[in-house]
Amino acid sequence: MATKPPTSDIDEADVRVTRPKKVAVGVPAVLHALKIAHDQMGVGRSIQTLLQVNQKDGFDCPGCAWPEEDKRHIAEFCENGAKAVAEEATLRQVSPEFFAAHSIDELRGHDDWWLGQQGRLTHPMILDEGATHYREISWDDALREIAESLRGLDDPNEAIFYTSGRTSNEAAFLYQLLVRGFGTNNLPDCSNMCHESSGSALGETIGIGKGTVTIDDIHNAELIIVAGQNPGTNHPRMLSALEKAKSRGATIIAVNPLPEAGLIRFENPQTPRGVILGGTTLADEFVQIRLGGDQALFQAIGKHLLESGDALDSAFIAAYTSGFEEYRHAMADAAWPELVAATGVPESVLRRVGELVRASKATIVCWAMGLTQHKHSVATLRDVVNVLLLQGNIGRAGAGVCPVRGHSNVQGDRTMGIYEKPSEAFLSALDTEFGFSAPRAHGFDTVEAIRAMRDGKAQVFIGMGGNFVSATPDTAVVEAAMGRVGLSVQISTKLNRSHVVTGRRAIILPTLGRTDRDRRGGREQRVSVEDSMGAVHASRGRLVPPSEGMLSEVAIVARLCGLVFGPDDNAPQADWAALEGDYGLIRGHIARVIPGFDDFDRRIDKGATLHLPNGPRDERRFATIDGTARFTVNPLEYPRIPRGRLLLQTLRSHDQYNTTIYGKDDRYRGIHGGRRVVLVNAKDIQVLGFADGEIVDLVSEWGIGAAREERRAEAFRIVAYPTPQGNAAAYYPETNVLVPLDSVADVSGTPTSKSVIVRLERRSETAQP
Ligand SMILES: Nc1nc2c(c(=O)[nH]1)N[C@H]1C(S)=C(S)[C@@H](COP(=O)(O)OP(=O)(O)OC[C@H]3O[C@@H](n4cnc5c(=O)[nH]c(N)nc54)[C@H](O)[C@@H]3O)O[C@H]1N2
Ligand SMILES: Nc1nc2c(c(=O)[nH]1)N[C@H]1C(S)=C(S)[C@@H](COP(=O)(O)OP(=O)(O)OC[C@H]3O[C@@H](n4cnc5c(=O)[nH]c(N)nc54)[C@H](O)[C@@H]3O)O[C@H]1N2
Ligand SMILES: [Mo]
């Protein structure tokens, strides 16, 4: 299977490579951000906007889900937050005239970078079956078309309702109500590809699918392990928190195949010391682990703690946990040589890390995609929990689990019920509040949704934000699957690939973003979001929206509820027009359905932050099947790499937000002017018979024997890079074509984006176009 990259994406020949950077952030980063802001927004709008990022009466930065500290800096943003804001608050526009000038075929020839650069969507558009161009359509007609298509389905389960994690709590709550009122739980979301493995492992072992730490815990930890995460790029404000912890004496261990800038050294642009003294060395220990070796690392730590004996919190283990004896036996049987082989890290280093953990009285483990996107991710995270339980590091100040979430409201969307496997408690509360009976059968997750579309079992696709076609694995399969759908609808701020690779008919509904002023029912509305640590607060944009008559996500969904639910249906009962005119009424419903939101609207109105209840953190209460925190036994797994092959991780550059590409540089890694690069260890380049700088195809191999499949991504420049031998790295989404749809994590179903077996192939060996 081979797919051609869009023609404007061929850039590998322009790539320039310099030495990777050790220092992250600092003044150059701020200047870079201001330049991008200025290009997109102009001077006045830049200042007006950037000063409101993450301020108490401003808007929540759409960049990442890292929490704000209680005392805000005047400029509470980072380089990449500023880029995210500029991208949304841009003055560039994609108007009906733009669509008249560019055919759908032409647009398909452009990559996500070009598409995103065109600006904000301004008017509802429709692509009729067989048409060459989108045409303008009124809001009323567009919404009616969608409602009619939904009502015309034989079975509600033929519709798929995707969500990306920027959607506000109010819009998300109403959206899941629309979907369940319509009669399905088909609510796949970006979380399925992101932290689903964290939710699966944590829900089962400690009884909550979220982290258990606050920002104060980070500041007060004695030891912080940052595993499988690149905060210098993806959560820059986390570096300030790590710096503070460090200044109070914390030890930091970075676990990563790559020596990422920022973990190694960090200059804080918000303190003069950061600028003048050249920054803080954050990581005391850098463990350069092999891809997928983390389960072995945490088993090694557990084994070391058990062997040392004196490091355990026996009172905690006795009072709160189950399964300790089984775990202890399993770790006694774990063999050091195998732990060394799996991690690629010498026993002496594994023991040294074990010692640092042993010596700490308050340990936090932070992680992101490096731990969640492997076949054995859930097992890995269960082993992380095991290590923390040994020392009672859950529900203690300065200690706990910290999955660092991606999208700025991805956690809130789940709290609001965007989930294909909702709990009975949630559904019955919903039933009571709205006088209907929500469907109980589980819906499709992201990968299952793709299969259903591919197999002709889904006829309507609705995307509440996101870029389904580019973000999901196995691009060629997804593009074909999307083409089989009768109607695809995208509710979006910016143009992306999912608007040009569509169902037989397609509708674009432009919507307001975080930075936009939202006037409904004669007054300015606020929305709310939940950060990575379970704190909920208000967000209010101030900018004039890109065009008149644009609808917010809430208004779009409220109107769809009014059109989709018939008077005789088993459908939720509410005054949809009233909800559209006053989001406070939606908060009232949320308060009655979801625990922890008491008096929600009044508190949001007063600018308060709600700290949602967190059983393990607040009172060491573990809502698992037996009410204990559960030690688990997880047979050791790690990827085996066949001879002559490499294990590829697909990751983010410094100049992108998921499928939104800001530019073609990855400054910290020394890559400039192009994205089609593959980072390979210098020894591997030599052993495999290639040269640094050579252009190759990446061919992924999946399955064995007759079932073996190949997928090809064309034209990547080899860059010699300090990644462990046998491991390679390249950017997503260009490499999504290589990730097989069926290659998913056990239990969570997350695509294994950090673990793809590939071979490099010389371009001359392939049939050239
Ligand atoms: N600027 C910016 N910010 C973002 C995003 C963005 O695209 N741009 N995306 C947002 C989203 S949705 C998310 S989920 C987060 C993602 O945040 P990250 O998870 O930091 O993102 P990735 O680029 O996927 O980086 C994965 C990191 O894990 C390492 N890694 C890969 N495999 C392994 C492994 O097997 N073991 C270990 N120990 N490490 C491994 C990689 O080398 C890399 O440093 O960021 C959010 N914030
Ligand atoms: N190979 C590989 N694949 C991956 C990953 C990986 O590491 N490797 N990471 C995975 C992860 S962690 C994630 S989270 C997913 C991301 O998957 P998605 O969330 O689907 O993708 P994004 O690129 O974040 O979506 C960007 C689009 O969202 C729309 N948008 C932005 N803001 C708003 C808003 O406020 N409202 C609305 N309605 N629309 C808005 C814009 O149109 C923009 O083009 O990708 C996953 N895919
Ligand atoms: Mo994510």
Side-chain angles (χ1 to χ4, degrees):
M1 218 179 298
T3 46
K4 290 254 166 301
T7 43
S8 69
D9 199 21
I10 303 292
D11 57 16
E12 78 288 348
D14 303 332
V15 174
R16 208 163 48 76
V17 178
T18 56
R19 277 164 58 107
K21 293 244 180 327
K22 289 220 174 72
V23 183
V25 202
V27 170
V30 172
L31 294 178
H32 183 65
L34 290 178
K35 178 170 184 324
I36 292 197
H38 177 258
D39 289 353
Q40 298 270 359
M41 303 189 278
V43 177
R45 199 167 161 100
S46 294
I47 294 171
Q48 190 195 354
T49 313
L50 294 179
L51 287 179
Q52 284 167 23
V53 181
N54 292 338
Q55 297 301 312
K56 286 225 158 109
D57 199 31
F59 61 88
D60 180 66
C61 178
C64 74
W66 188 258
E68 284 79 49
E69 304 193 16
D70 231 28
K71 186 173 143 285
R72 314 285 165 99
H73 297 278
I74 293 193
E76 185 66 44
F77 63 90
C78 65
E79 174 190 358
N80 276 335
K83 289 186 202 164
V85 167
E87 192 63 32
E88 180 176 296
T90 181
L91 291 167
R92 300 178 195 163
Q93 297 200 339
V94 173
S95 60
E97 293 73 43
F98 171 92
F99 287 105
H102 301 277
S103 73
I104 198 82
D105 271 350
E106 183 205 327
L107 293 175
R108 266 188 213 130
H110 289 293
D111 61 7
D112 277 299
W113 178 70
W114 188 93
L115 293 170
Q117 286 296 305
Q118 303 313 304
R120 283 287 296 272
L121 295 158
T122 59
H123 290 78
M125 304 295 300
I126 185 165
L127 183 69
D128 298 308
E129 188 156 357
T132 57
H133 292 71
Y134 272 100
R135 68 174 166 85
E136 192 179 344
I137 182 173
S138 70
W139 276 104
D140 282 350
D141 288 347
L143 294 170
R144 212 167 14 242
E145 290 270 351
I146 296 167
E148 273 168 21
S149 294
L150 287 171
R151 292 186 65 87
L153 293 177
D154 293 335
D155 181 333
N157 295 311
E158 290 175 1
I160 287 166
F161 298 84
Y162 176 68
T163 314
S164 164
R166 277 199 190 168
T167 294
S168 67
N169 288 333
E170 290 74 6
F173 183 80
L174 216 51
Y175 186 60
Q176 62 81 30
L177 187 63
L178 166 71
V179 174
R180 299 199 163 105
F182 176 62
T184 179
N185 282 307
N186 283 346
L187 281 158
D189 68 348
C190 65
S191 229
N192 297 142
M193 301 180 271
C194 186
H195 267 294
E196 197 68 65
S197 303
S198 310
S200 301
L202 296 175
E204 195 187 345
T205 55
I206 62 167
I208 190 167
K210 303 179 178 182
T212 67
V213 303
T214 63
I215 193 85
D216 281 342
D217 290 322
I218 300 271
H219 295 156
N220 295 320
E222 287 186 25
L223 174 69
I224 303 173
I225 300 180
V226 181
Q229 201 199 336
N230 178 21
T233 286
N234 297 314
H235 303 92
R237 285 180 301 116
M238 178 178 175
L239 298 184
S240 312
L242 292 177
E243 188 192 33
K244 191 155 176 183
K246 180 110 196 163
S247 72
R248 297 183 179 183
T251 300
I252 296 174
I253 304 175
V255 182
N256 204 301
L258 306 180
E260 305 283 32
L263 285 173
I264 311 296
R265 208 140 69 86
F266 165 56
E267 283 181 41
N268 188 342
Q270 283 156 351
T271 66
R273 193 172 62 90
V275 175
I276 295 160
L277 298 183
T280 313
T281 298
L282 283 181
D284 299 274
E285 181 82 47
F286 168 48
V287 182
Q288 188 163 30
I289 197 162
R290 287 205 181 119
L291 285 172
D294 304 85
Q295 189 190 2
L297 171 70
F298 282 91
Q299 290 198 353
I301 298 171
K303 186 175 174 68
H304 181 85
L305 293 178
L306 287 160
E307 284 176 2
S308 327
D310 65 338
L312 308 187
D313 184 342
S314 310
F316 175 83
I317 294 173
Y320 296 104
T321 72
S322 62
F324 171 71
E325 281 306 321
E326 292 83 345
Y327 174 67
R328 192 165 65 88
H329 286 298
M331 287 308 99
D333 291 344
W336 284 106
E338 197 176 12
L339 299 174
V340 169
T343 52
V345 175
E347 184 177 330
S348 58
V349 176
L350 295 177
R351 294 243 186 221
R352 197 159 70 223
V353 171
E355 262 311 287
L356 290 172
V357 178
R358 193 185 68 81
S360 160
K361 300 219 156 22
T363 300
I364 291 176
V365 182
C366 301
W367 71 86
M369 297 304 99
L371 260 55
T372 63
Q373 296 177 333
H374 288 282
K375 177 171 181 298
H376 58 304
S377 282
V378 175
T380 300
L381 293 167
R382 288 181 190 139
D383 272 320
V384 168
V385 171
N386 285 333
V387 164
L388 291 170
L389 292 182
L390 283 177
Q391 295 179 295
N393 273 318
I394 306 262
R396 165 191 293 166
V401 284
C402 181
V404 182
R405 306 298 301 247
H407 272 300
S408 51
N409 197 38
V410 61
Q411 187 158 312
D413 291 347
R414 269 291 160 90
T415 305
M416 292 299 119
I418 304 285
Y419 189 28
E420 74 281 0
K421 302 182 191 75
S423 70
E424 179 53 36
F426 176 82
L427 293 179
S428 54
L430 205 61
D431 288 353
T432 308
E433 176 71 8
F434 292 100
F436 81 120
S437 169
R440 269 22 189 201
H442 289 175
F444 299 137
D445 67 12
T446 294
V447 165
E448 290 161 349
I450 295 167
R451 290 193 188 118
M453 288 154 65
R454 176 195 64 192
D455 300 340
K457 292 184 192 142
Q459 278 311 314
V460 175
F461 174 94
I462 298 184
M464 174 54 91
N467 183 357
F468 191 83
V469 169
S470 276
T472 51
D474 227 345
T475 314
V477 173
V478 175
E479 293 195 348
M482 190 58 87
R484 295 202 64 184
V485 168
L487 173 67
S488 64
V489 178
Q490 299 290 337
I491 302 167
S492 319
T493 53
K494 302 280 300 266
L495 190 64
N496 66 43
R497 209 149 175 80
S498 302
H499 304 108
V500 298
V501 177
T502 65
R504 291 193 299 284
R505 286 190 315 144
I507 291 177
I508 298 175
L509 299 178
T511 194
L512 302 179
R514 287 280 166 79
T515 50
D516 298 316
R517 186 170 64 209
D518 186 0
R519 280 190 79 83
R520 304 261 115 223
R523 58 189 173 117
E524 273 186 39
Q525 303 286 342
R526 294 162 206 263
V527 292
S528 65
V529 295
E530 175 182 343
D531 68 30
S532 198
M533 295 177 179
V536 178
H537 60 85
S539 174
R540 181 153 73 105
R542 300 280 178 77
L543 297 179
V544 179
S547 80
E548 287 215 3
M550 256 176 71
L551 294 185
S552 65
E553 293 175 339
V554 168
I556 291 171
V557 179
R559 288 185 194 188
L560 279 174
C561 287
L563 292 167
V564 170
F565 303 149
D568 307 324
D569 296 351
N570 156 39
Q573 305 298 313
D575 180 346
W576 309 111
L579 297 184
E580 176 185 334
D582 181 359
Y583 300 0
L585 297 174
I586 305 176
R587 286 187 280 274
H589 287 299
I590 293 172
R592 288 186 293 274
V593 172
I594 304 175
F597 285 86
D598 308 310
D599 210 9
F600 186 24
D601 187 40
R602 199 187 53 87
R603 286 157 81 188
I604 284 293
D605 221 40
K606 287 177 72 183
T609 298
L610 280 74
H611 294 277
L612 294 181
N614 188 302
R617 170 166 84 203
D618 303 340
E619 44 184 328
R620 289 191 160 171
R621 191 171 44 75
F622 301 98
T624 57
I625 45 167
D626 62 2
T628 68
R630 298 167 63 82
F631 280 99
T632 53
V633 171
N634 307 288
L636 179 64
E637 278 187 65
Y638 57 98
R640 317 291 159 125
I641 310 170
R643 269 175 70 91
R645 306 297 185 261
L646 296 169
L647 190 67
L648 177 79
Q649 64 153 321
T650 62
L651 80 181
R652 293 154 174 81
S653 86
H654 192 63
D655 255 359
Q656 74 183 87
Y657 194 91
N658 299 336
T659 69
T660 299
I661 313 299
Y662 303 135
K664 299 212 169 181
D665 299 333
D666 192 4
R667 206 166 74 240
Y668 295 160
R669 299 198 186 101
I671 311 291
H672 310 273
R675 294 177 44 88
R676 297 185 83 83
V677 293
V678 56
L679 313 182
V680 185
N681 182 288
K683 283 220 185 78
D684 283 330
I685 299 180
Q686 193 195 1
V687 170
L688 296 173
F690 293 93
D692 188 12
E694 205 172 328
I695 310 293
V696 293
D697 284 355
L698 308 180
V699 183
S700 86
E701 301 177 354
W702 170 248
I704 41 170
R708 196 172 121 124
E709 299 168 5
E710 293 200 341
R711 291 164 172 80
R712 180 180 301 270
E714 289 191 56
F716 281 70
R717 182 195 197 277
I718 297 180
V719 175
Y721 202 83
T723 173
Q725 260 189 280
N727 291 174
Y731 303 129
Y732 125 85
E734 287 82 350
T735 44
N736 283 38
V737 62
L738 298 172
V739 185
L741 190 64
D742 294 334
S743 178
V744 296
D746 297 333
V747 185
S748 67
T750 296
T752 60
S753 305
K754 297 290 188 274
S755 189
V756 186
I757 301 278
V758 298
R759 64 172 193 271
L760 308 182
E761 219 174 70
R762 196 157 276 123
R763 291 285 283 166
S764 52
E765 287 168 14
T766 50
Q768 295 284 342

